[in-house]
Amino acid sequence: MQCYTDLIPPSGVTDALSLPFTSATASNLIVARTSLLQIFSHKTVNNGNDTKLVLVAEYNLFGTITALGRVKILNPKSGGEAVLVALLDAKLSLIEWDPEKYSISTTSIHYYENEELQISPWAPDLNQCVSHLAVDPSSRCAAFNFGKKNLAILPFHQLGDDLVMDDLDAELDGVDVNVEAAAHHTNGDVASHQTPYSSSFVLSTTALDPGILHPVDITFLHEFREPAFGVLYSSIAGSQALLHERKDVVSYAVFTLDLEQRASTALSSTQRLPNDLFKTIPLPLPVGGSLLVGSNELVHVDQGGKTSAVGVNEFARQCSSFSMADQSDLEMRLEYCQIEQLGTPTGDMLIILSNGDLAILSFRLDGRTVSGLAVRRLSPEQSLVASEPSCAAPLGVGKAFIGFEGSDSLLIGWGKKISMMKRHSSRIAQAMTQDPDMTLDDDEIEEEDDDDIYGDTDEGPQLHRAQSFDPNSATSLEFRILDSLPSLASIKDFTFGQSPPLGEVKQESKYLPRSELEMVLATGLGKAGSVSMLKRELDPIIKATNHFPDITGAWSVKIQEKSEEGEEPSEEIYDQYVIIQTVKDGVLSTNLHSIAGSNLREKTGTDFDTEAGPTIDVGSLADGTRVVQVVKNEIRSYDSEFGLAQIYPIVDDDDSVGYVSSVSFAECSVLVVKDDYNVLLLQADQSGDLDEIDISALPEKEWLSGSLYADHTGLFHEKGVIMTLLGNDGGLYLFSLSDLSRPLFEYNSLGYLPTRLSDETLPRHWKEIEILTEAVVADLGDKTEKSPYLFIRTIRGETVLYQPFRVPITEPDAGPLRFSRIENLSLLNTSLEGGAEAEDGFAVQEASFKILQNLGGYSAIFTAGRSPCLILRTSSSLPQVVPFRAKKILFFGSHHTESNPDGFLYIDSNSHHLCRGMIPTSPATIPFYSWLLTKIPLHSEPTDIAYFPKTSTYALATSTLIPFHLPRDDEWHPDWADEHLPFPPLTPQSSIHLLSPKTHHIIDTYPLPSSSERVCALQNLSLSTSDDDTNNPSSRRDFLVVGTAIARGEDITARGAIYLFDLVRVVPDPDSANPSESDLKLKLIAKEDVKGAVTALSPIGSQGFFLASQGQKCMVRGLKEDNTILPVAFLDMNYHVSVAKELRGTGLCLFGDAVKGLWFAAYSEEPYKLRVLGKDTLRSMDVVAAEFWAEGFGKEGEGNEEGKGGLYIVALDGDGEMRIFQFDPENPKSGRGSRLLLRSSFHTGAQVATKAQIVPRTPDDESRESKVDDDDDTMQELDGNNNPPHQAHQQHQQQILISHTTGALSLLSPLPSEPAYRRLSSLQTILTTSSSHPCGLNPRAHRRVETDGMGGRGVLDGNLLQGWLAQSAQGRVSWADRAGAGAEGGGGVVGEIVEHLKGCGVGGGRGLGYL
């Protein structure tokens, strides 16, 4: 009984597409991240000099995206275009944007996984074939090549279908299809189609041409009146080993499609093309035709079949006899490159190579004929990318998005250098000086721009300009990074280490919050490699603390003198004072303190009243010249010297004394909600005095909550202040202060928490309603993008977010205002437990929303309670809930000083300290799917990482690519000594580094001595150093054990080595950049050369030995006193051992073979022996990650008591399939344990796991209090394997953390009980069948959960179960009731399901409290 949940979704970008999606005039970017679909817009900032990406929406799909296509359909809902999404296992989904729902809408889903299409017994499975999606530029049809030789054609209805306009081509004739279709539909001449597509059909590629047996790529071409596509294929399989026999076997053919007759006609065919061609790119005018991309060359094929080619390295001539120009001096490797249009009139293209270098491809044009190709490599200084690109998409003129599967994706821009722009301006100025009456139109200016970019040209025909291209003019282009999308891909390894202290306050102060551990990952590919650090909670940097024994509240304020009208402040105004409220012996006092660095000094001699009463809130008005203190029964206004300027009493309707419940400030307005549920609206005049605003036009209701919001975007109304009111009946009202006579928005059923707030009538049978307590409109965002959100809090402490949007209409006025619920926020993370109280009974700050205008550059919301958290949002993410490290916070507020810019202050209830601090900024820490991510660039690719507790440092292995040469000293091949390769292949060379967790600098480096030697395994192991007493713990020492591989060619046996390092203290280097950390060095203790690569390491037994897999053997080795590594036991394996682990302290081992599946063995120490106990029954599983599981799986009752649970192994293969095996020698089917029983399987998606590790599960975050023992300053230490501390003798305390190459982190958690599994299993079935899923995909078909039907239980999908939290209040209760929740009352039913979800880890990393 277990649940699989993605803590962090895939973040590596696999595909991207630019199009107008959300509207006809929008410019959107669609990004695919394996199974995550994101929609971006982009906006210009910094006076139009920069462009930033802004996330509009994102969707987790139950499928793997393989390609994206742009389709123009008739009558789209948004007026824009649609997206055709191709998915693994031969599926196509057509989606468009629905502005009414502010979400995507699935138009159709097409399945081509019919068994009739796969009748060939030797045809490979669909998931083993590469699929290709191509869309006609005029959107007349799409072609989907799936399987081996299947081609699906999906036609789309266009304007010419019903007008019998066969000769009409929208692209060539300049016809706007949508406008024409709308006109004809209005006139009644055309009957509208029920669907934007017609029935699809499937062809075999051999029906197009019998020679298309091995299709390579397919694309539709421009400039054809009928749909025409080009196919790159070969009739026989290419082979480098048989190159002399199968040279130039690739062909390229162009076909036209007759969609009505479902027939094709061959137009041209080009034979004898190079074997290494792998991609085709259709080219629009002025070039036209297709560009064929190979590993060593570029080939252009025009419409008539004429070819032009250029070779970019010396292998182009050696591997092909095809005629091409020779530019082998470029030494370019085109594998995995991306090529995009530069947007120039001559059709030049930008080439992004796999190593990050940039080049420009130019076409020499003779009329409309391409006479040649030329490639110019840009200088290394212009290389902006550092790893292999996966996709590219243009975003207008001078901008392109480049996606990466192994690093952060980039938005780059290019333009002329400053010197070229000055030369352009001087030429125009000189010409106009000679002829004052001369004027230049836009075309002439653009022509001048082209001259600046491509150099001066001789006088002559315009079409011959590219022939006189100066190669050196490529330096006139300047490339720069405009924006980036953060990514964790590709995760190679992870470990846990103690988190270093932050801030300037000594950590002896036990009241300061600090994390126990941090998760450190080796991420990135190539030069984009980095060390990434993840935490579940925000660790603040504490700048100063002040002890006030009886403090209950604190407000940081700034004030300035009134300036002349129109005069701007000469310098930034910081906070100068802190108002502190204390309660001593039942007497409340409020004092004014001035800020003096880290100290606070009480300020006297002002009119500030220390006995005015309990302070509710403090704000500023009149451009910061007035400080307004709202106390319980009055409002006090102070001038710049804190002289009392005004007292405004609070009175009720009967003129009796009133009391303030809450208050809100915005610009010059103050909104007061009184305890009698009436509101008071005040506004400051030019002098700063407060005057009451008439609110008699408001509905006569009892108001529970009210807030003000300064709308600077005009989304709600014209720019101004918006008032939000929440009635006691659950009604929501939004008013503009400029017109209180009618609400901007009114919704009377907010208590149902529907997914959208609109004028639609809710179903009458809805009865379950939540009691609401607060409604606030506030900004969320960063410096790039800020937008308003509606925050709702219920009486149970749940926080719900809604995003406002306008439905576009054709009239000049703005469309209706609506709200869409944010689905990614988790109920479990936002649970509040009510306000904290001081010991004397005064309520200091209720569990309410605290608006933070600027917190480290973020506009955020803080929620108080037992589990305080921040709600943040970046421009490239949706709102995220980030837990705050400190618990039991009495008060939280903004604090902005010169030493603590954009910071905060809070009151710690345990110590009654006022803490002032800020969020980490160096290195930058960003919210990343409700985690805190810090990335340290390495400029090399990390492969392994381990934590060394003795010195609190990290050891990591990195690799860099170096030229490969055959061994010069091989006695069997003396001719290798004279080998000379001007363009040698590249091979990784590893080094070992020490990384400081405090400064994140490299302390020491040990390069491996052998050429082409790479690290395959790295572990920190506790080994015995005594030959006589191996069982004595005092003889153990921590060593860094490294396993390497030396590969010198396919015909030379691989070798390896085992290194043992110790970390020793040396004399610090005073010339080092960090002298305080230069006292640590890696000292080589022992080295053992072995036959075969050392691919896995693990501790084993109780005597301080370790297990090492070397080649086809697994050996148990120990360190002798003479520093030699002695083998004591071995086991013969099959091929390549990818995983080797021991169940700690038992001697039970698992081995994962890359070809032959799982082996289960036992190690004994008397005598030393490794013996196989069982193997998996599949015998063909390519194991990439595996881990033991000793409890929690199996039948009811198993694993509930110590010693009674079964022994299970969780294994993952290269196809994303997770299988659970059991070792059960008592089962007759196991053959006395010789066969591991397959209990269940679960598909995690098309992502390769890199590591699976057991981690402990802590109690729920909300019930866990942050306590530090007064007698122990140290945190819980790691065990010998850098694992988090285990909590033994507790049920269900183990869970498995899994990392993937896609950047995803997943958690496999046990369920707490059998009833919980049954209820959640039923709820999962309801969610699968009753809820709508993005792109119309089926979660059950995606996960492919299978069991043996006897002892196994299916794994639950936590991603699907999390969708229950996003349902309305009625939907939650009804579905929970159908799932069998038996508690009485609606809230009880919901609470029971919530507890079950908490128990299985759903909720974004719950149970990982040590992070």
Side-chain angles (χ1 to χ4, degrees):
M1 299 183 298
Q2 60 288 142
C3 180
Y4 177 91
T5 307
D6 283 335
L7 301 180
I8 297 178
S11 53
V13 174
T14 56
D15 207 345
L17 177 70
S18 61
L19 77 164
F21 185 66
T22 56
S23 68
T25 58
S27 178
N28 298 113
L29 177 70
I30 312 297
V31 172
R33 305 189 185 216
T34 307
S35 59
L36 184 68
L37 186 69
Q38 294 181 313
I39 303 169
F40 290 90
S41 62
H42 57 91
K43 62 178 295 186
T44 57
V45 296
N46 192 17
N47 297 324
N49 295 324
D50 291 325
T51 302
K52 300 295 182 181
L53 295 174
V54 178
L55 182 64
V56 177
E58 70 177 18
Y59 304 91
N60 283 289
L61 306 186
F62 293 99
T64 301
I65 303 172
T66 59
L68 300 172
R70 173 179 177 177
V71 180
K72 298 177 183 178
I73 60 175
L74 294 178
N75 303 320
K77 297 180 179 179
S78 65
E81 300 180 8
V83 175
L84 191 62
V85 183
L87 301 116
L88 203 63
D89 297 336
K91 298 183 182 70
L92 290 177
S93 180
L94 183 64
I95 61 172
E96 59 177 319
W97 184 257
D98 189 350
E100 293 281 341
K101 299 180 178 179
Y102 202 74
S103 175
I104 62 172
S105 174
T106 304
T107 303
S108 63
I109 178 76
H110 307 268
Y111 294 87
Y112 298 103
E113 50 188 352
N114 194 333
E115 294 182 359
E116 297 179 358
L117 301 176
Q118 304 293 324
I119 58 177
S120 177
W122 52 81
D125 294 337
L126 289 176
N127 56 6
Q128 297 178 353
C129 299
V130 178
S131 60
H132 304 280
L133 175 67
V135 180
D136 177 44
S138 299
S139 298
R140 291 164 291 193
C141 66
F144 184 46
N145 174 217
F146 64 95
K148 185 66 176 177
K149 296 180 291 185
N150 297 317
L151 185 65
I153 305 298
L154 178 61
F156 295 101
H157 294 303
Q158 296 299 335
L159 177 63
D161 295 348
D162 296 317
L163 299 179
V164 198
M165 297 174 63
D166 295 335
D167 294 333
L168 177 66
D169 185 278
E171 182 183 13
L172 294 179
D173 299 331
V175 178
D176 190 332
V177 174
N178 295 328
V179 173
E180 291 293 328
H184 283 279
H185 181 70
T186 303
N187 296 332
D189 298 333
V190 180
S192 61
H193 298 283
Q194 295 182 352
T195 61
Y197 58 89
S198 59
S199 60
S200 63
F201 54 94
V202 178
L203 301 173
S204 174
T205 57
T206 55
L208 303 175
D209 189 305
I212 307 180
L213 299 177
H214 302 276
V216 178
D217 197 12
I218 178 174
T219 55
F220 278 91
L221 305 180
H222 298 267
E223 302 180 80
F224 285 88
R225 294 193 177 275
E226 294 291 336
F229 60 93
V231 180
L232 187 67
Y233 69 94
S234 63
S235 299
I236 58 176
S239 173
Q240 294 298 326
L242 301 176
L243 185 60
H244 60 285
E245 296 181 1
R246 302 183 181 182
K247 195 172 186 179
D248 297 339
V249 298
V250 174
S251 303
Y252 179 74
V254 178
F255 301 89
T256 60
L257 276 176
D258 188 336
L259 298 178
E260 294 186 0
Q261 301 297 326
R262 299 187 176 185
S264 62
T265 303
L267 294 182
S268 64
S269 179
T270 305
Q271 307 293 328
R272 309 291 297 173
L273 293 171
N275 287 3
D276 56 0
L277 294 175
F278 61 89
K279 186 178 183 180
T280 64
I281 301 175
L283 302 178
L285 292 175
V287 179
S290 298
L291 180 67
L292 312 183
V293 185
S295 301
N296 310 309
E297 68 280 318
L298 296 168
V299 181
H300 177 266
V301 183
D302 65 10
Q303 291 186 3
K306 179 185 175 182
T307 61
S308 301
V310 57
V312 296
N313 57 50
E314 67 175 18
F315 291 108
R317 287 293 186 186
Q318 297 179 16
C319 299
S320 175
S321 301
F322 191 78
S323 176
M324 64 183 74
D326 185 13
Q327 284 191 272
S328 57
D329 58 311
L330 294 173
E331 295 186 350
M332 294 170 55
R333 293 177 170 90
L334 296 179
E335 295 92 344
Y336 310 110
C337 73
Q338 293 294 325
I339 304 179
E340 273 300 332
Q341 297 280 346
L342 275 174
T344 61
T346 52
D348 291 356
M349 306 187 78
L350 176 66
I351 304 176
I352 306 108
L353 301 179
S354 59
N355 64 351
D357 291 346
L358 302 179
I360 294 179
L361 170 65
S362 298
F363 301 89
R364 293 186 176 92
L365 301 177
D366 291 331
R368 294 191 60 181
T369 303
V370 176
S371 60
L373 308 179
V375 179
R376 303 175 305 283
R377 197 163 188 166
L378 300 184
S379 62
E381 292 77 12
Q382 300 223 48
S383 298
L384 304 178
V385 299
S387 66
E388 177 185 303
S390 60
C391 60
L395 276 180
V397 178
K399 295 186 290 291
F401 174 80
I402 306 175
F404 299 89
E405 291 190 62
S407 66
D408 295 351
S409 297
L410 303 176
L411 175 64
I412 67 171
W414 57 86
K416 293 178 298 183
K417 290 186 176 180
I418 301 298
S419 60
M420 305 304 297
M421 296 178 65
K422 291 181 179 178
R423 188 181 71 176
H424 165 58
S425 301
S426 63
R427 282 209 305 246
I428 295 180
Q430 181 180 2
M432 298 193 68
T433 302
Q434 297 174 356
D435 185 4
D437 298 330
M438 184 188 70
T439 59
L440 294 177
D441 58 16
D442 293 339
D443 294 337
E444 292 172 327
I445 294 176
E446 184 178 0
E447 182 177 335
E448 289 286 341
D449 293 343
D450 299 336
D451 292 340
D452 288 338
I453 296 176
Y454 300 107
D456 297 330
T457 59
D458 298 331
E459 295 182 1
Q462 175 74 15
L463 294 174
H464 290 274
R465 175 176 297 182
Q467 293 182 350
S468 58
F469 185 87
D470 180 9
N472 297 324
S473 65
T475 58
S476 63
L477 284 179
E478 184 178 18
F479 293 83
R480 61 192 181 103
I481 297 176
L482 301 176
D483 199 4
S484 63
L485 299 182
S487 170
L488 268 183
S490 160
I491 302 176
K492 300 295 187 62
D493 194 10
F494 65 84
T495 188
F496 297 90
Q498 291 186 8
S499 179
L502 298 175
E504 303 172 1
V505 180
K506 295 182 178 180
Q507 288 298 309
E508 289 83 22
S509 302
K510 299 179 181 298
Y511 53 82
L512 294 182
R514 53 178 178 173
S515 62
E516 300 173 11
L517 300 175
E518 62 183 357
M519 185 178 179
V520 184
L521 307 94
T523 60
L525 296 176
K527 293 180 290 185
S530 62
V531 172
S532 300
M533 302 178 181
L534 285 177
K535 293 183 180 180
R536 276 292 298 125
E537 296 178 339
L538 176 64
D539 285 320
I541 298 178
I542 303 301
K543 292 286 188 176
T545 60
N546 304 95
H547 181 62
F548 295 91
D550 306 301
I551 187 172
T552 59
W555 294 265
S556 182
V557 297
K558 62 181 176 182
I559 193 169
Q560 60 180 339
E561 295 183 358
K562 189 173 183 180
S563 59
E564 298 295 332
E565 185 176 355
E567 182 180 352
E568 295 292 336
S570 58
E571 58 184 15
E572 185 174 1
I573 305 299
Y574 294 102
D575 293 350
Q576 303 107 334
Y577 305 97
V578 176
I579 299 174
I580 296 178
Q581 181 174 276
T582 59
V583 177
K584 186 176 182 180
D585 299 330
V587 178
L588 185 144
S589 176
T590 306
N591 299 279
L592 180 66
H593 292 72
S594 61
I595 301 173
S598 60
N599 299 319
L600 297 177
R601 299 173 182 173
E602 186 173 356
K603 186 176 180 60
T604 59
T606 66
D607 293 341
F608 190 82
D609 189 356
T610 61
E611 300 178 355
T615 300
I616 304 301
D617 202 355
V618 177
S620 62
L621 296 176
D623 296 327
T625 60
R626 288 287 184 95
V627 173
V628 178
Q629 179 193 15
V630 181
V631 295
K632 198 65 177 176
N633 55 4
E634 64 184 15
I635 300 177
R636 305 175 68 87
S637 179
Y638 299 93
D639 59 18
S640 60
E641 299 296 331
F642 268 90
L644 184 61
Q646 183 186 12
I647 296 178
Y648 195 97
I650 304 298
V651 297
D652 290 338
D653 294 339
D654 55 357
D655 295 333
S656 61
V657 177
Y659 296 96
V660 178
S661 176
S662 64
V663 63
S664 178
F665 301 91
E667 294 184 351
C668 294
S669 303
V670 181
L671 176 64
V672 177
V673 179
K674 298 184 290 186
D675 61 351
D676 61 353
Y677 305 112
N678 289 321
V679 296
L680 173 66
L681 184 60
L682 305 173
Q683 193 169 25
D685 55 19
Q686 293 183 354
S687 64
D689 293 337
L690 294 174
D691 297 322
E692 184 175 357
I693 303 300
D694 182 21
I695 57 173
S696 58
L698 295 180
E700 296 183 0
K701 287 180 177 290
E702 293 184 350
W703 304 111
L704 299 178
S705 171
S707 69
L708 298 178
Y709 168 73
D711 184 11
H712 298 291
T713 62
L715 174 64
F716 295 99
H717 192 55
E718 297 179 357
K719 295 181 180 180
V721 179
I722 304 300
M723 179 173 62
T724 304
L725 295 175
L726 175 66
N728 62 347
D729 58 351
L732 176 70
Y733 296 85
L734 269 67
F735 292 90
S736 172
L737 294 191
S738 60
D739 183 11
L740 298 177
S741 60
R742 58 186 181 91
L744 301 175
F745 181 80
E746 178 181 356
Y747 195 81
N748 296 316
S749 303
L750 187 60
Y752 292 106
L753 301 180
T755 57
R756 268 176 296 277
L757 307 183
S758 62
D759 53 2
E760 297 178 358
T761 304
L762 297 179
R764 294 184 177 180
H765 67 275
W766 281 24
K767 297 180 180 180
E768 301 297 335
I769 190 171
E770 291 281 354
I771 300 177
L772 309 181
T773 59
E774 190 174 6
V776 170
V777 173
D779 279 334
L780 285 183
D782 54 14
K783 296 179 180 179
T784 299
E785 170 70 11
K786 296 179 182 179
S787 56
Y789 288 84
L790 172 65
F791 297 80
I792 304 296
R793 183 169 62 90
T794 70
I795 196 172
R796 295 192 302 115
E798 177 187 356
T799 300
V800 181
L801 261 70
Y802 288 91
Q803 181 179 9
F805 66 95
R806 290 279 184 181
V807 179
I809 55 177
T810 57
E811 286 78 5
D813 296 335
L817 178 65
R818 295 182 180 179
F819 291 81
S820 176
R821 182 169 170 176
I822 302 298
E823 297 182 359
N824 74 318
L825 280 182
S826 172
L827 163 71
L828 305 182
N829 274 346
T830 59
S831 179
L832 309 176
E833 301 294 337
E837 289 192 357
E839 295 178 357
D840 52 21
F842 281 91
V844 180
Q845 182 180 29
E846 296 183 356
S848 59
F849 300 122
K850 181 65 178 180
I851 301 175
L852 305 173
Q853 300 292 348
N854 191 349
L855 180 64
Y858 295 98
S859 295
I861 288 288
F862 179 82
T863 60
R866 291 185 181 179
S867 297
C869 57
L870 288 165
I871 302 179
L872 304 173
R873 171 182 172 263
T874 66
S875 59
S876 59
S877 73
L878 294 178
Q880 309 171 49
V881 176
V882 178
F884 199 72
R885 180 70 62 186
K887 308 300 178 183
K888 285 192 174 181
I889 294 178
L890 293 183
F891 185 88
F892 194 96
S894 299
H895 183 66
H896 178 59
T897 63
E898 187 174 3
S899 61
N900 190 47
D902 303 331
F904 54 83
L905 57 80
Y906 68 89
I907 302 174
D908 183 86
S909 63
N910 292 326
S911 61
H912 295 280
H913 276 75
L914 176 64
C915 303
R916 290 177 284 161
M918 56 189 297
I919 64 177
T921 56
S922 180
T925 299
I926 61 172
F928 189 72
Y929 293 99
S930 295
W931 291 69
L932 276 304
L933 171 63
T934 304
K935 298 187 73 172
I936 310 301
L938 297 175
H939 307 294
S940 59
E941 182 175 330
T943 56
D944 300 88
I945 190 168
Y947 182 68
F948 210 79
K950 184 175 68 172
T951 57
S952 298
T953 54
Y954 293 98
L956 62 122
T958 64
S959 66
T960 55
L961 294 177
I962 62 172
F964 174 80
H965 296 282
L966 293 172
R968 308 287 185 178
D969 56 351
D970 192 289
E971 59 182 7
W972 299 102
H973 300 86
D975 55 313
W976 289 355
D978 300 327
E979 180 194 29
H980 175 70
L981 290 178
F983 189 58
L986 301 178
T987 184
Q989 171 73 38
S990 293
S991 300
I992 303 170
H993 309 274
L994 284 183
L995 179 71
S996 168
K998 297 180 181 179
T999 62
H1000 306 114
H1001 292 154
I1002 298 296
I1003 301 174
D1004 189 26
T1005 298
Y1006 183 90
L1008 295 182
S1010 300
S1011 176
S1012 304
E1013 186 173 8
R1014 70 193 72 176
V1015 174
C1016 297
L1018 183 146
Q1019 291 254 4
N1020 169 47
L1021 302 178
S1022 179
L1023 304 181
S1024 174
T1025 57
S1026 173
D1027 293 346
D1028 301 327
D1029 192 5
T1030 57
N1031 292 317
N1032 186 3
S1034 62
S1035 65
R1036 303 285 181 85
R1037 286 174 56 192
D1038 286 346
F1039 291 94
L1040 183 66
V1041 185
V1042 180
T1044 67
I1046 305 174
R1048 298 187 175 181
E1050 59 184 9
D1051 54 349
I1052 301 178
T1053 304
R1055 299 185 60 84
I1058 300 175
Y1059 294 82
L1060 265 66
F1061 292 94
D1062 192 10
L1063 271 66
V1064 297
R1065 297 284 181 180
V1066 296
V1067 177
D1069 182 7
D1071 297 330
S1072 174
N1074 299 282
S1076 61
E1077 296 180 340
S1078 62
D1079 60 341
L1080 283 177
K1081 292 291 183 182
L1082 284 167
K1083 180 181 178 181
L1084 180 62
I1085 301 299
K1087 177 186 177 183
E1088 182 78 14
D1089 294 322
V1090 298
K1091 295 181 179 180
V1094 182
T1095 56
L1097 297 168
S1098 174
I1100 192 170
S1102 60
Q1103 297 181 344
F1105 293 165
F1106 68 93
L1107 177 66
S1109 64
Q1110 49 190 70
Q1112 284 77 39
K1113 291 182 181 295
C1114 287
M1115 288 192 175
V1116 178
R1117 291 178 173 268
L1119 179 64
K1120 298 181 65 177
E1121 292 181 351
D1122 59 354
N1123 290 338
T1124 59
I1125 305 173
L1126 178 68
V1128 297
F1130 74 93
L1131 180 67
D1132 288 321
M1133 300 294 293
N1134 279 342
Y1135 295 100
H1136 175 87
V1137 179
S1138 56
V1139 182
K1141 291 187 177 181
E1142 184 218 19
L1143 185 61
R1144 188 172 55 178
T1146 64
L1148 299 176
C1149 305
L1150 67 85
F1151 301 98
D1153 194 277
V1155 179
K1156 286 294 185 179
L1158 277 175
W1159 291 33
F1160 180 60
Y1163 167 69
S1164 61
E1165 296 175 343
E1166 294 181 2
Y1168 295 119
K1169 187 177 182 181
L1170 271 174
R1171 181 168 59 93
V1172 176
L1173 298 180
K1175 301 180 181 179
D1176 73 85
T1177 56
L1178 299 177
R1179 301 291 178 88
S1180 61
M1181 182 181 179
D1182 54 330
V1183 179
V1184 296
E1187 184 57 280
F1188 281 106
W1189 189 284
E1191 62 178 3
F1193 291 96
K1195 299 179 182 179
E1196 181 179 358
E1198 291 185 359
N1200 294 333
E1201 296 182 14
E1202 188 175 359
K1204 293 186 179 181
L1207 181 61
Y1208 296 83
I1209 299 175
V1210 179
L1212 298 100
D1213 64 13
D1215 295 327
E1217 200 74 21
M1218 181 177 67
R1219 296 181 175 90
I1220 301 170
F1221 297 91
Q1222 182 186 15
F1223 175 70
D1224 187 5
E1226 298 180 359
N1227 193 312
K1229 292 185 177 182
S1230 68
R1232 297 184 179 181
S1234 62
R1235 291 189 294 271
L1236 298 177
L1237 301 178
L1238 178 60
R1239 289 305 192 187
S1240 63
S1241 62
F1242 181 89
H1243 185 62
T1244 63
Q1247 48 189 4
V1248 180
T1250 55
K1251 187 175 182 179
Q1253 179 176 324
I1254 287 183
V1255 295
R1257 177 175 173 80
T1258 60
D1260 184 73
D1261 294 340
E1262 293 177 10
S1263 62
R1264 180 177 59 88
E1265 297 180 359
S1266 179
K1267 296 180 180 179
V1268 181
D1269 190 358
D1270 293 339
D1271 299 327
D1272 186 8
D1273 283 346
T1274 61
M1275 311 301 280
Q1276 294 179 338
E1277 294 185 355
L1278 302 173
D1279 63 17
N1281 294 330
N1282 302 333
N1283 294 323
H1286 285 259
Q1287 300 180 7
H1289 309 294
Q1290 295 189 25
Q1291 299 178 6
H1292 307 289
Q1293 291 301 309
Q1294 292 181 348
Q1295 48 193 356
I1296 296 180
L1297 186 63
I1298 306 170
S1299 61
H1300 304 271
T1301 56
T1302 60
L1305 275 177
S1306 306
L1307 195 65
L1308 187 66
S1309 304
L1311 269 72
S1313 63
E1314 174 69 20
Y1317 176 82
R1318 291 179 178 177
R1319 286 178 175 84
L1320 292 183
S1321 180
S1322 300
L1323 181 61
Q1324 177 175 282
T1325 303
I1326 295 171
L1327 286 167
T1328 301
T1329 57
S1330 301
S1331 60
S1332 59
H1333 306 292
C1335 296
L1337 300 175
N1338 185 359
R1340 184 178 301 165
H1342 174 59
R1343 293 305 187 185
R1344 301 198 297 265
V1345 179
E1346 296 181 1
T1347 64
D1348 60 356
M1350 300 184 64
R1353 295 293 185 91
V1355 179
L1356 298 182
D1357 187 357
N1359 299 336
L1360 179 60
L1361 290 171
Q1362 207 159 359
W1364 176 81
L1365 302 174
Q1367 303 300 318
S1368 64
Q1370 176 67 30
R1372 289 182 191 169
V1373 173
S1374 61
W1375 287 1
D1377 185 63
R1378 289 169 57 188
E1384 296 181 0
V1389 173
V1390 172
E1392 184 175 347
I1393 295 296
V1394 168
E1395 291 301 319
H1396 292 336
L1397 293 177
K1398 291 179 181 178
C1400 63
V1402 175
R1406 309 190 74 78
L1408 300 175
Y1410 39 82
L1411 297 180

